[in-house]
């Protein structure tokens, strides 16, 4: 993504440009650059590496007055009262070892820094790296330092995070209704017209279905179906919060299904993937007329079935598509003949401000100081191996590496893996705001590059200048550039000339 940014001063930036101080800073967010407070970061900012503007938000405070550590054995020897301890303290030994390495690194970097500032080899600071966090990250890092880790985990695992997050959204609804009374009336109308269908025993396993006015059973003129998966950091969010996303599609005579699923701690990411798959099967079985073109709708007017996800919803939606491919390949290799599953077959996928690499996003959350409070770590399995397993672009690459060069696999399947991916993955549009500081736009940039390399038929990226994390979905609900773009792409996708991978980066300079 950086290749798209010029290094011009801010005074030369055009209005609506993708290049802003915030977008440049986000393009270098961890893991693309060293984290704030690290010696390497200080060096790049032309600061003394041994002096940090901050401490790590989970740093352990070891009191030297409480006990002393034998440097050779790591034994806790004596406290202030003189009592003897002969218990090997592995934690303090690890801390001491870590600080020893850090001190040696700081000595090396400090000498380099002195060489640069001495005039022998002058060094300019990196133009787009900040030495200190912004006010929002400073607050979250401070909060992560004040709250004990066990308390953060308790709030996350008990559902308190979900309750607080959902309560904040609910509290903003009255003010939004006063600001936009037209949208409030539409929301109330949609609330009366929705059809709520359960697909499981849990209270969160339901779909809110919205049908165009023209559908009355015998005279079905629906032009397609939208399968919308809401976000909420894997641990919050409810379908009603995204109810207004149905309006622009209903106006275009397209049915909409807003899917609810078990958020953490009621369900982990695999449960959430399984939930939306179960919802897709339920809709196919109970509403088959929504899944195929009506006879009175021309082929050029049929938009097909589109899968849309926002934030963490985009992640689990894309994971559902990848797991379908994985399951199909495994069935073919092991000779498991299955009847064609009765489920929705998606013609298009739209990811809005999505997280597509769990491991990279964990590093980004750690930089903000929210990695222990966020449900993502627990929902996605705690370990780096699990993070990679639930990263859709990396999962596709793993399938390529596992099966592509295997002659036996090709013989059994009858085709290369990238051919299967090309056939099974729908056309894709990835949207992201360049000033999204919750999920940086580099998430979409990296995913788009990897996905196109796996053989998908079409993967376009569209970046919205000046847009933050909620802006895209808010514009979809209330009107704006994002709504216009999505409606145009969904309705005319089949008639737009296919683009190759080199032309698949679309820049939006107007809002």
């Amino acid at each position: 993504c950086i290749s798209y940014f010029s290094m011009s001063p801010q005074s030369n930036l055009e209005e609506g440009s993708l290049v802003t101080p915030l977008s440049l800073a986000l393009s270098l967010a961890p893991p693309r650059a060293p984290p704030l407070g690290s010696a390497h970061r200080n060096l790049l900012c032309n600061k003394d590496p041994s002096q940090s503007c901050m401490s790590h938000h989970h740093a352990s405070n070891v009191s030297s007055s409480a006990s002393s550590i034998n440097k050779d054995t790591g034994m806790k020897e004596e406290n202030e009262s003189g009592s003897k301890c002969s218990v090997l303290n592995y934690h303090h030994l690890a801390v001491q070892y870590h600080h020893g390495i850090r001190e040696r690194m700081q000595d090396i970097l400090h000498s380099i820094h002195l060489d640069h500032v001495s005039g022998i080899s002058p060094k300019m600071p990196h133009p787009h790296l900040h030495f200190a966090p912004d006010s929002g990250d400073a607050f979250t890092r401070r909060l992560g330092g004040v709250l004990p880790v066990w308390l953060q985990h308790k709030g996350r695992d008990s559902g308190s995070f979900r309750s607080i997050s959902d309560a904040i959204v609910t509290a903003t609804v009255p003010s939004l209704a006063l600001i936009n009374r037209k949208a409030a009336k539409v929301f109330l109308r949609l609330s009366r017209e929705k059809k709520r269908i359960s697909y499981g025993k849990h209270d969160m396993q339901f779909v809110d279905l919205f049908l165009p006015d023209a559908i009355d059973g015998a005279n079905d003129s629906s032009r397609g179906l939208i399968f919308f998966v809401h976000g909420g950091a894997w641990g919050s969010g409810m379908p009603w919060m995204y109810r207004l996303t149905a309006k622009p599609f209903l106006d275009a005579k397209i049915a909409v299904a807003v899917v609810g699923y078990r958020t953490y701690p009621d369900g982990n990411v695999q449960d959430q993937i399984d939930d939306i798959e179960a919802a897709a099967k339920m809709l196919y079985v109970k509403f088959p007329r929504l899944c195929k073109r009506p006879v009175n709708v021309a082929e050029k007017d049929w938009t097909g079935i589109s899968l849309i996800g926002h934030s963490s919803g985009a992640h689990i939606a894309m994971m559902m598509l990848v797991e379908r491919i994985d399951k199909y390949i495994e069935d073919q290799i092991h000779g498991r003949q299955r009847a064609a599953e009765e489920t929705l077959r998606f013609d298009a996928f739209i990811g809005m401000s999505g997280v597509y690499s769990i491991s990279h996003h964990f590093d980004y959350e750690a930089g903000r100081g929210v990695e222990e409070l966020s449900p993502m770590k627990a929902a996605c399995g705690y370990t780096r191996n699990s993070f990679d397993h639930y990263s859709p672009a990396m999962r596709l690459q793993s399938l390529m590496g596992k099966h592509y060069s295997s002659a036996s696999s090709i013989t059994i399947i009858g085709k290369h893996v990238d051919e299967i991916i090309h056939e099974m993955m729908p056309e894709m549009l990835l949207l992201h705001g360049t000033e999204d500081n919750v999920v940086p736009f580099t998430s979409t940039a990296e995913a788009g590059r990897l996905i196109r390399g796996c053989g998908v038929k079409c993967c376009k990226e569209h970046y919205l200048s000046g847009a933050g994390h909620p802006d895209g979905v808010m514009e979809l609900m209330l009107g704006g550039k994002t709504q216009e773009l999505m409606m145009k792409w969904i309705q005319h996708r089949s008639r737009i000339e296919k683009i190759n991978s080199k032309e698949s980066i679309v820049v939006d300079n107007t809002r």
Side-chain angles (χ1 to χ4, degrees), residues 153-167:
H153 290 176
K154 182 178 180 180
R156 177 195 69 193
D157 300 337
S158 66
S160 297
F161 170 89
R162 179 172 62 196
S163 300
I164 294 172
S165 299
D166 290 344

Side-chain angles (χ1 to χ4, degrees), residues 36-37 41 53-54 130-139 141 367-368:
L36 287 162
R41 178 82 170 217
C53 65
M54 58 196 299
H130 299 308
F131 176 63
D134 61 27
S135 58
D137 287 352
F139 172 77
R141 289 181 67 96
R368 298 178 62 215

